[in-house]
Amino acid sequence: MTEILMPKATAVWLVDNTSLTFEQIADFCGLHPLEVRGIADGEVARDIRGADPIANGQLSREELDAAQNNPKYRMKAQKSRHAELLKPVKKAPRYTPVSRRQDRPDAIAWFLRNHPEVADSQISRILGTTKATIDQVRNRTHWNANNIKPVDPVTLGLATQMELDAVVRKAADKRAKEDAKRGVAEPDGATLRPASEAGHGGDEAVEAYETQDAED
């Protein structure tokens, strides 16, 4: 069944303007019959203005008439002509200039070194890279692995500071919720540094990365 827009507002209009049963209105609007009864009694949706489903293209007059003549009839919603306008616009994949694409492995290495809590899917979106490339950098199987040095994506021009902070904050919040569910106590001291404090240019991270190279 097609989901209708503004179900409660539609229910208000149907209660006020038709002889449909509570069950018919509830079925059409995706509500509980008791909720529709509450609308009729003025206990629910008192401040909601009714929305005419015929005027906005979600219901035909024929469907409404058929339902009013038969209490057992269940109305079928039409696809609203407004639905397409209200659909969220899907963001296009991030475009990275050719001159910057060679810097993405460095940015990936920075994420893996400084913010391992950030998921590969988040790294992929913010850098416009692939999970395969992230795996190659992580596993040191990238064709240019010996020359990859962790450098933050803001310095490389691959992301803005606001975008980077938002990604890190979201990942930190998610980990905190997961730890809370598992009953994991927070360790002493801060463990997840804000992206803005992780060091533009990745000087500390580069030194750590090079040290690991030497140990390997």
Side-chain angles (χ1 to χ4, degrees):
M1 180 177 174
T2 302
E3 290 188 7
I4 66 169
L5 303 173
M6 302 178 293
K8 284 190 178 180
T10 301
V12 169
W13 188 92
L14 292 172
V15 166
D16 292 340
N17 296 277
T18 72
S19 60
L20 297 172
T21 66
F22 295 154
E23 288 75 15
Q24 286 175 306
I25 295 174
D27 181 80
F28 181 75
C29 298
L31 304 175
H32 193 281
L34 291 178
E35 194 169 7
V36 178
R37 180 182 291 276
I39 291 174
D41 293 340
E43 299 173 354
V44 178
R46 270 183 284 183
D47 299 325
I48 295 179
R49 183 178 180 181
D52 183 349
I54 297 175
N56 62 31
Q58 296 186 98
L59 179 66
S60 68
R61 172 59 65 180
E62 291 74 21
E63 279 288 297
L64 179 58
D65 290 342
Q68 291 189 114
N69 292 329
N70 180 5
K72 294 183 178 180
Y73 186 84
R74 295 295 180 260
M75 298 182 295
K76 299 177 180 63
Q78 299 180 143
K79 190 171 184 180
S80 171
R81 58 176 173 268
H82 303 303
E84 291 298 321
L85 298 176
L86 296 176
K87 274 187 178 178
V89 178
K90 188 175 182 181
K91 289 185 178 180
R94 176 184 292 272
Y95 173 75
T96 304
V98 175
S99 60
R100 292 289 184 187
R101 291 177 189 175
Q102 61 185 7
D103 296 329
R104 283 188 293 201
D106 291 343
I108 292 171
W110 183 89
F111 269 113
L112 298 178
R113 174 65 65 186
N114 292 284
H115 292 285
E117 74 279 4
V118 177
D120 287 2
S121 57
Q122 292 176 294
I123 298 175
S124 179
R125 279 195 296 272
I126 193 171
L127 299 181
T129 188
T130 65
K131 291 185 179 181
T133 302
I134 296 172
D135 285 337
Q136 289 169 4
V137 174
R138 176 184 287 113
N139 300 326
R140 308 298 300 278
T141 58
H142 191 276
W143 66 271
N144 197 31
N146 292 333
N147 296 316
I148 294 176
K149 306 299 178 187
V151 182
D152 79 275
V154 176
T155 296
L156 294 173
L158 296 172
T160 67
Q161 187 64 57
M162 289 182 64
E163 289 174 328
L164 180 57
D165 286 342
V167 167
V168 172
R169 189 181 307 112
K170 184 176 180 180
D173 290 344
K174 183 177 180 181
R175 171 173 284 188
K177 290 179 181 178
E178 291 175 348
D179 288 346
K181 286 182 180 179
R182 294 196 301 267
V184 178
E186 290 186 4
D188 295 334
T191 56
L192 302 179
R193 293 180 295 165
S196 56
E197 296 177 8
H200 287 326
D203 293 337
E204 295 178 2
V206 169
E207 182 178 351
Y209 201 83
E210 290 175 342
T211 300
Q212 183 181 3
D213 285 349
E215 293 175 352
D216 292 344

